[in-house]
Amino acid sequence: MAFRPKIISQIPKLSRIGLRRMSNNNYKKLEDQFVKPDLDDRSYRYIQLPNDLKALLIHDSKADKSAAALDVNIGAFEDPEDLPGLAHFCEHLLFMGSEKYPDENEYSSYLSKHGGASNAYTGSQNTNYYFEVNHEHLLGALDRFAGFFTCPLFNRDSTDKEIKAVDSENKKNLQSDLWRLYQLDKSLTNAEHPYHKFSTGNFITLHEIPTSKGIDVRKELLKFYKNSYSANLMKLCVVGREDLDTLSNWACSFFQDVPNTGRSVPEYRSRMLDERSLQKVIHAKSVKDLKKLEITFSAPDMDLEWESKPQHILSHLVGHEGSGSLLAHLKDKCWANELSAGGHSVSRGNAFFSVDIDLTDLGLKHYEDVTHVIFQYLEMLRLKLPEQWIYLELEDIARATFKFKQKSSAASTVSSLAKQLEKEYIPVKYILSTELLRKYDADLLMKYLHSLTPENSRIVLASNEMETNSKERWYGTQYRVTDFTPYLLKKIRNPGLNPSLHLPRPNEFIATNFQVDRIEGVVPLEEPLLLKDDKVSKLWYKKDDRFWQPRGYIYVSFKLPHTQASIVNSMLSTLYVQLINDYIKDLQYDAACANLHLSFVKTNQGLDITLSGFNDKLTILLTRFLEGLKSFKPEKNRFQIFKDKCIRQLTNQLYEVPYLQIFSVYSSLINERTWFVEEKLEVLKKLTFEQLVAYVPTIYEEMFFEAFVHGNMKYEEAIEVDSLVQILIPNDIRNFQAKNGRLRSYFLPQGETYRYETKLQDSQNLNSCIQHVTQLEAYSEEISAKASLFSQMIHEPCFDTLRTKEQLGYVVFSSSLNNHGTANIRILVQSEHTTPFLEWRIESFLQSFGEVLESMSDKDFEGHKDALCKSLTQKYKNMKEESSRYAAAIYLGDYNFTHRQRKSELVSQLTKEEMREFYHNSIVGPNSSKLVIHLQSQVKNDKLDESNLDATKYPAGESITDVGEFKSRLFLAPVRQPSKKFEVHTPRL
């Protein structure tokens, strides 16, 4: 389900009866002792309400955001066969008002006005609802949220509208290979098990078919809700600043009236993958240029073995990417580029283990040989396992990860815990620590491994050139099913051993030193220190003084002017980065297994390295990586494989859902040295290996870099990082302008509107997309503050008007948008409607918002300011969040490390009159400047009524037909300037 918009109204005054009920403690305490991470300062209580609903309450005295989630242990598997999508439809409808709060927009409005947001999803066996809100407003949010489960309205008008919303959500996914292949896999399983069902639903399943059969969907919905939403099947989780007694009383007061019908948790005893489903090859035709092999085994259900996790151990081994691994061998054979593996439980007694491989062109031709190698690897494991040291490694990693686990967002915390609580076979005191490995069970591991046989397997082979003879019902995916060939069966039943395959070596990156020298009473610095600033580099450093964790973060941003100087250099840089990541895959994977994360990416300024994780081995990892960069020599066969892969990736970008494509189009129009996907493809196809060989030695010429070291790391280690990176400098020639070589955006002429129209590459996609951007002026903190407040004010009304009321489409989004030197407001809509119609509706919304602004009370205006300021000044939840924010300021070059606090101060001073003036001058006035992008479907939809559209007015503005000519007429905006002058810091010895 779409992320609901953020928003508020006043907390209602509770009646005397309400106040009396709030103080009752008519609940049973089940647990208050939990296994927690070392630095978890929250307290927990698990209770049972009189109606058997169980709740986990979390007291967090420092929480900026409070949150709640409720998980119902009923999902799409309970859809009636003749009403696919009913559970998902029910999830949508619960947002649309309750007896106490009948306005269908009340819940989302309240959250948005108080810095909050909400969401929900329907799973196979659960439905999960959650929200977060500024901590002071938890009571009012819980009051509204509880109505979903005590007294929902299911109004007829809302029912009809949300059927269209569900249909739009489904249509968003119709051309998505992820959804298409998932549903195809489901459709070809045992029809006696509910896994085969179509769980999203659409207009046909929820309106046309039921109507033709005389079925009243609303009545069926009410019946489903009454039968399924029983209190004993619900788990609530709430986190707030209030003490546990208060939270417990609130939970009891608001949720004890949820009806308890005593319904038991559904069980599905049929075998999901029966004999008719196994030993088959499903040849599927993809929309994108995929080359994918997935082998799925019907495996034992290991959910009850949560302490030993045999499927986790096996996925670690099969998915390994280092020397001797399955992937390493397939890469040597030029058959594959990527591999993942994992086990998953579908329902009690039904589970599978899958190996998913991204094939090369050659690998697709040799898919039976690839399958043979998989079984050779499994055969090697059967002979070599069990090895307790592998379990102990994973146990150590899991223990360290849990011991030093940091907080995540309030919403994700409550949502995941509410779902976890459904696993009542896990003692609730361990619910925070389920990722730990607690028991070594060699026999169970071997039993699991021995179940992965040819007889228990099937294969999905996907490509856009597959021969097919059938069509899947819901997504129209073309496919063909064949039996395993005699040749394949013979090879995989007796796979033999492959000398290239062996167990991974012990992992050198597992941390052993977790020493942290904590200093009490320290006031955390808000900015890193500048340790060095010369012609070669800048070095920033911040010792962790906030979280006291044994973690580190190293960020290195290379300013390499010629990597983005031309489209040829840009594409050669893309290939270089992909080849480097392929070259150091072994190193990267070992590090990742030990929770050390290494990223090497291309940027619009050059290249970036980011490392994070336990600091014990972080500089060792950086050293090894830089040595790899230094020693790298391109190989012709890998060049061709990654050139083909990169061509596929770029081609596939043109087949993404429209709303994911449109920002790239916008960026190519508004930024210098930025190119369209089609232009990149044309150049990439012509690049040669010889060009890459000639280019690689020049990459680090004229290099300037900025490094940032943060965490449990010493000053001397920061200096070491700077000196280590300097091994890449090829000569002593310097480009003194390199440090300022940042990308810039173009200014649109004041008062002008431009439009860019283009057709979607995917001729079958029903949806168009429009991005309506109002360019404000050159970026400054002042204009950014106004844009952010305006975005806060229109966020919920935009969603409510265009998505809920006008039903334009499932994807509706608005935000402020800062480019490389300009500030902007954008509204994006993906819809079956034509883009001129969408432009009209967006313009109408913006025009009508003036009335909202004029009539907005001082209290509501101050509420919007308060919500935004509190969101801007939230405390850091974890070290990664703090590090990333500092790194972003370094990358932008403004070094505005406290920009959120500064923006909050500016927002707090804005007046309603200033915002009215901003609206009339910059948004709707004659001086407003706009760039509207129309990404248009090739499918004509004659069923939609657009008769009121004035075709003489929309599409508006001057059409951009020659992008180069358009850019050549525009001025460039200045890049952001440093917020202040930083002096080089010399530490006291």
Side-chain angles (χ1 to χ4, degrees):
M1 183 166 184
F3 207 79
R4 312 291 296 200
K6 297 176 167 185
I7 54 190
I8 53 197
S9 81
Q10 305 171 35
I11 294 179
K13 293 179 180 176
L14 294 167
S15 66
R16 286 179 183 160
I17 295 172
L19 285 169
R20 191 162 58 245
R21 288 182 58 199
M22 293 297 288
S23 64
N24 84 66
N25 60 354
N26 189 20
Y27 57 84
K28 186 191 301 181
K29 292 182 186 178
L30 300 179
E31 184 63 73
D32 57 9
Q33 298 298 315
F34 291 79
V35 176
K36 304 191 300 183
D38 280 12
L39 298 179
D40 187 347
D41 57 0
R42 296 170 291 199
S43 51
Y44 299 80
R45 176 186 291 169
Y46 193 50
I47 65 173
Q48 184 172 341
L49 307 188
N51 58 352
D52 285 347
L53 188 150
K54 293 175 183 173
L56 177 65
L57 296 319
I58 307 172
H59 164 60
D60 185 344
S61 61
K62 300 173 184 174
D64 290 316
K65 298 282 186 187
S66 292
L70 189 140
D71 195 273
V72 187
N73 208 353
I74 295 285
F77 279 178
E78 284 300 286
D79 283 348
E81 285 288 349
D82 58 351
L83 280 173
L86 191 65
H88 180 219
F89 182 41
C90 180
E91 172 225 306
H92 273 245
L93 258 293
L94 287 189
F95 283 85
M96 298 290 121
S98 62
E99 290 177 13
K100 188 172 183 180
Y101 297 102
D103 183 346
E104 67 180 15
N105 199 45
E106 170 63 28
Y107 172 67
S108 57
S109 178
Y110 182 86
L111 292 176
S112 180
K113 289 175 185 173
H114 292 98
S118 71
N119 206 349
Y121 69 84
T122 303
S124 296
Q125 296 182 95
N126 77 304
T127 310
N128 192 282
Y129 302 83
Y130 55 95
F131 71 82
E132 69 177 25
V133 69
N134 286 341
H135 72 87
E136 305 95 331
H137 303 286
L138 174 60
L139 180 64
L142 277 174
D143 190 16
R144 288 157 177 80
F145 184 58
F148 290 15
F149 313 103
T150 56
C151 52
L153 286 180
F154 295 119
N155 280 333
R156 177 73 65 182
D157 287 348
S158 297
T159 302
D160 294 341
K161 278 193 295 190
E162 284 306 303
I163 287 176
K164 293 177 182 176
V166 169
D167 187 62
S168 180
E169 181 177 356
N170 178 61
K171 284 175 175 170
K172 169 179 70 73
N173 302 326
L174 286 178
Q175 290 296 100
S176 163
D177 283 316
L178 183 71
W179 283 91
R180 290 164 71 89
L181 294 174
Y182 174 54
Q183 186 60 49
L184 178 61
D185 179 66
K186 293 189 349 161
S187 297
L188 296 174
T189 56
N190 182 6
E192 294 178 8
H193 189 282
Y195 183 71
H196 77 278
K197 294 180 179 180
F198 170 51
S199 57
T200 306
N202 59 25
F203 193 74
I204 295 171
T205 69
L206 295 171
H207 179 75
E208 290 183 2
I209 293 175
T211 301
S212 70
K213 294 180 177 179
I215 297 172
D216 185 328
V217 171
R218 184 172 178 273
K219 286 183 179 177
E220 294 300 316
L221 181 67
L222 292 169
K223 188 192 303 180
F224 174 85
Y225 179 82
K226 184 177 180 181
N227 291 340
S228 302
Y229 277 58
S230 180
N232 66 306
L233 298 181
M234 296 179 178
K235 302 294 185 292
L236 175 69
C237 184
V238 184
V239 59
R241 283 198 182 185
E242 293 77 11
D243 60 57
L244 289 175
D245 286 343
T246 301
L247 291 174
S248 299
N249 285 330
W250 287 1
C252 196
S253 173
F254 288 130
F255 293 92
Q256 67 179 356
D257 290 336
V258 176
N260 180 8
T261 64
R263 167 136 193 213
S264 58
V265 178
E267 290 192 21
Y268 311 101
R269 299 193 178 277
S270 299
R271 191 176 171 194
M272 184 187 77
L273 288 173
D274 58 4
E275 289 75 9
R276 294 166 295 178
S277 310
L278 296 168
Q279 297 186 61
K280 305 287 184 185
V281 181
I282 302 164
H283 307 259
K285 188 168 186 176
S286 57
V287 173
K288 292 182 180 179
D289 184 5
L290 301 183
K291 289 169 177 61
K292 167 187 164 81
L293 180 148
E294 181 176 25
I295 181 165
T296 298
F297 297 89
S298 178
D301 174 19
M302 290 291 156
D303 263 14
L304 295 178
E305 307 300 336
W306 58 278
E307 293 177 291
S308 56
K309 299 182 178 59
Q311 76 280 23
H312 172 64
I313 298 169
L314 200 59
S315 65
H316 163 72
L317 294 169
V318 178
H320 206 277
E321 297 178 1
S323 173
S325 69
L326 180 54
L327 179 61
H329 180 62
L330 293 174
K331 282 170 59 178
D332 287 344
K333 301 288 285 186
C334 298
W335 289 345
N337 293 316
E338 294 174 11
L339 180 150
S340 60
H344 176 68
S345 178
V346 175
S347 64
R348 181 69 62 87
N350 275 288
F352 56 77
F353 185 88
S354 294
V355 184
D356 197 339
I357 301 176
D358 176 33
L359 300 171
T360 62
D361 290 337
L362 187 62
L364 186 64
K365 294 174 183 174
H366 286 269
Y367 85 88
E368 289 190 332
D369 295 317
V370 172
T371 306
H372 178 218
V373 175
I374 294 170
F375 278 92
Q376 285 183 320
Y377 193 84
L378 295 175
E379 184 70 9
M380 181 274 294
L381 292 180
R382 288 186 189 101
L383 290 172
K384 296 289 186 180
L385 295 181
E387 285 282 358
Q388 191 171 8
W389 69 267
I390 295 172
Y391 169 85
L392 293 174
E393 264 198 0
L394 294 175
E395 184 186 57
D396 285 346
I397 292 167
R399 186 186 301 113
T401 303
F402 174 73
K403 182 180 175 71
F404 300 106
K405 190 174 184 178
Q406 298 180 88
K407 292 177 184 177
S408 55
S409 77
S412 64
T413 297
V414 294
S415 176
S416 60
L417 281 173
K419 183 184 178 185
Q420 279 284 90
L421 289 166
E422 303 289 12
K423 299 180 177 180
E424 294 197 323
Y425 49 84
I426 300 177
V428 74
K429 66 180 178 180
Y430 297 132
I431 207 67
L432 306 175
S433 60
T434 54
E435 65 264 47
L436 290 175
L437 285 160
R438 289 183 160 88
K439 184 170 71 173
Y440 176 56
D441 193 330
D443 291 340
L444 192 62
L445 173 64
M446 298 311 294
K447 178 183 175 184
Y448 190 90
L449 178 56
H450 281 286
S451 74
L452 308 185
T453 65
E455 291 71 26
N456 264 355
S457 69
R458 74 174 187 180
I459 293 169
V460 173
L461 197 64
S463 160
N464 65 349
E465 297 178 347
M466 200 64 68
E467 291 182 17
T468 63
N469 57 17
S470 302
K471 185 181 285 190
E472 192 273 323
R473 177 181 181 184
W474 301 112
Y475 289 81
T477 308
Q478 296 177 53
Y479 70 97
R480 172 172 56 98
V481 179
T482 61
D483 294 327
F484 283 2
T485 64
Y487 169 80
L488 177 61
L489 270 173
K490 182 179 178 183
K491 292 195 79 170
I492 62 179
R493 279 175 174 158
N494 297 289
L497 291 177
N498 186 325
S500 300
L501 303 175
H502 55 78
L503 292 174
R505 61 179 178 269
N507 192 334
E508 64 177 308
F509 290 110
I510 295 175
T512 54
N513 181 3
F514 301 103
Q515 179 68 35
V516 176
D517 296 322
R518 180 163 188 159
I519 305 171
E520 298 299 332
V522 172
V523 177
L525 295 176
E526 294 301 327
E527 300 176 319
L529 302 171
L530 179 62
L531 298 188
K532 179 188 173 192
D533 186 2
D534 60 23
K535 296 174 184 177
V536 175
S537 65
K538 271 189 175 181
L539 174 63
W540 301 88
Y541 169 67
K542 185 172 187 288
K543 176 81 172 70
D544 174 38
D545 53 8
R546 196 183 304 272
F547 296 101
W548 307 106
Q549 289 255 321
R551 299 179 187 276
Y553 182 97
I554 298 172
Y555 171 68
V556 183
S557 184
F558 295 99
K559 318 297 180 184
L560 305 169
H562 65 300
T563 57
Q564 197 77 359
S566 71
I567 190 170
V568 172
N569 284 12
S570 176
M571 297 319 298
L572 285 170
S573 300
T574 296
L575 283 170
Y576 169 73
V577 166
Q578 291 205 5
L579 287 164
I580 287 290
N581 283 319
D582 177 60
Y583 181 64
I584 55 120
K585 197 92 166 181
D586 193 347
L587 177 73
Q588 247 177 350
Y589 191 80
D590 270 355
C593 288
N595 274 316
L596 289 180
H597 303 288
L598 166 62
S599 164
F600 183 57
V601 298
K602 189 185 96 168
T603 73
N604 54 43
Q605 299 178 23
L607 304 169
D608 276 7
I609 304 170
T610 307
L611 299 93
S612 62
F614 294 124
N615 62 279
D616 184 25
K617 308 285 177 69
L618 210 54
T619 51
I620 296 172
L621 177 60
L622 177 64
T623 304
R624 295 274 301 279
F625 174 69
L626 293 171
E627 288 168 351
L629 280 185
K630 191 80 174 168
S631 64
F632 171 72
K633 296 286 188 294
E635 296 176 5
K636 193 162 190 175
N637 68 325
R638 300 309 290 170
F639 165 80
Q640 192 58 51
I641 285 170
F642 276 88
K643 178 181 171 181
D644 292 344
K645 182 182 178 183
C646 198
I647 288 170
R648 279 209 308 277
Q649 288 172 333
L650 286 173
T651 302
N652 289 339
Q653 281 185 35
L654 298 173
Y655 287 82
E656 284 287 1
V657 290
Y659 77 93
L660 292 178
Q661 292 188 49
I662 206 162
F663 188 77
S664 171
V665 176
Y666 171 70
S667 182
S668 302
L669 286 166
I670 206 66
N671 296 326
E672 62 172 346
R673 291 180 282 123
T674 309
W675 301 276
F676 288 88
V677 171
E678 294 88 343
E679 295 172 317
K680 293 177 182 178
L681 268 170
E682 187 177 338
V683 168
L684 182 60
K685 289 173 181 176
K686 296 174 182 175
L687 292 181
T688 65
F689 176 66
E690 288 70 28
Q691 283 176 291
L692 181 71
V693 169
Y695 177 71
V696 168
T698 72
I699 288 176
Y700 298 98
E701 289 180 352
E702 305 180 76
M703 178 178 94
F704 180 84
F705 70 91
E706 295 199 49
F708 169 49
V709 179
H710 178 214
N712 188 40
M713 302 185 74
K714 298 176 182 176
Y715 164 81
E716 293 80 9
E717 290 175 291
I719 299 297
E720 182 187 4
V721 165
D722 180 80
S723 61
L724 283 171
V725 176
Q726 293 195 36
I727 68 167
L728 296 177
I729 299 174
N731 53 50
D732 59 359
I733 299 172
R734 295 287 159 266
N735 179 343
F736 300 103
Q737 298 300 318
K739 65 173 71 176
N740 293 314
R742 284 171 277 159
L743 199 69
R744 296 197 286 174
S745 299
Y746 290 99
F747 274 135
L748 299 174
Q750 194 175 61
E752 296 294 327
T753 295
Y754 292 89
R755 74 175 188 272
Y756 181 76
E757 298 171 283
T758 187
K759 296 289 185 187
L760 281 172
Q761 191 81 18
D762 183 358
S763 62
Q764 303 302 308
N765 201 309
L766 304 174
N767 288 293
S768 296
C769 187
I770 188 168
Q771 180 164 280
H772 182 287
V773 178
T774 304
Q775 190 179 90
L776 305 174
E777 53 188 76
Y779 175 86
S780 67
E781 290 185 298
E782 290 75 17
I783 196 66
S784 178
K786 289 178 181 177
S788 294
L789 182 56
F790 184 75
S791 174
Q792 158 72 25
M793 291 192 294
I794 71 167
H795 186 72
E796 190 279 331
C798 179
F799 187 92
D800 183 51
T801 300
L802 303 181
R803 157 72 156 76
T804 306
K805 290 187 172 69
E806 298 192 15
Q807 291 284 301
L808 295 183
Y810 183 74
V811 179
V812 173
F813 182 74
S814 62
S815 72
S816 59
L817 174 67
N818 294 324
N819 281 343
H820 303 281
T822 65
N824 310 266
I825 295 290
R826 69 164 163 179
I827 296 178
L828 179 150
V829 180
Q830 180 176 286
S831 172
E832 289 184 78
H833 279 284
T834 64
T835 52
F837 184 86
L838 298 175
E839 183 182 356
W840 171 44
R841 300 319 306 146
I842 291 170
E843 282 286 350
S844 296
F845 165 73
L846 287 173
Q847 292 290 338
S848 66
F849 186 74
E851 298 173 18
V852 177
L853 193 54
E854 288 297 327
S855 62
M856 187 179 291
S857 68
D858 290 343
K859 183 174 184 179
D860 279 353
F861 180 73
E862 292 300 321
H864 280 296
K865 287 168 57 177
D866 182 64
L868 177 57
C869 289
K870 282 177 175 159
S871 292
L872 287 168
T873 55
Q874 280 186 78
K875 293 185 291 293
Y876 296 117
K877 291 183 287 296
N878 50 61
M879 192 188 295
K880 181 181 178 182
E881 195 176 274
E882 183 182 7
S883 300
S884 299
R885 203 169 291 169
Y886 295 146
I890 291 167
Y891 177 79
L892 288 170
D894 64 0
Y895 311 115
N896 195 352
F897 301 110
T898 60
H899 81 278
R900 293 172 75 91
Q901 297 94 314
R902 289 159 65 121
K903 183 187 281 190
S904 174
E905 182 65 28
L906 289 167
V907 168
S908 70
Q909 296 169 12
L910 288 172
T911 65
K912 194 159 41 165
E913 188 51 46
E914 285 177 302
M915 291 308 296
R916 284 178 183 144
E917 182 182 345
F918 168 81
Y919 168 76
H920 288 293
N921 289 346
S922 300
I923 304 299
V924 296
N927 291 329
S928 66
S929 305
K930 297 170 186 173
L931 177 57
V932 185
I933 299 171
H934 300 249
L935 197 52
Q936 297 167 335
S937 170
Q938 297 184 42
V939 180
K940 293 203 180 299
N941 189 336
D942 298 326
K943 295 179 181 178
L944 296 170
D945 181 11
E946 297 187 353
S947 57
N948 292 332
L949 173 67
D950 185 348
T952 64
K953 289 184 66 176
Y954 299 101
E958 180 183 336
S959 176
I960 300 170
T961 54
D962 184 326
V963 174
E965 188 269 340
F966 164 70
K967 287 184 173 183
S968 71
R969 291 189 276 131
L970 305 180
F971 294 106
L972 284 166
V975 296
R976 298 192 200 182
Q977 299 303 305
S979 58
K980 68 178 185 181
K981 181 173 175 57
F982 286 82
E983 299 294 336
V984 174
H985 173 79
T986 304
R988 286 175 292 181
L989 299 176

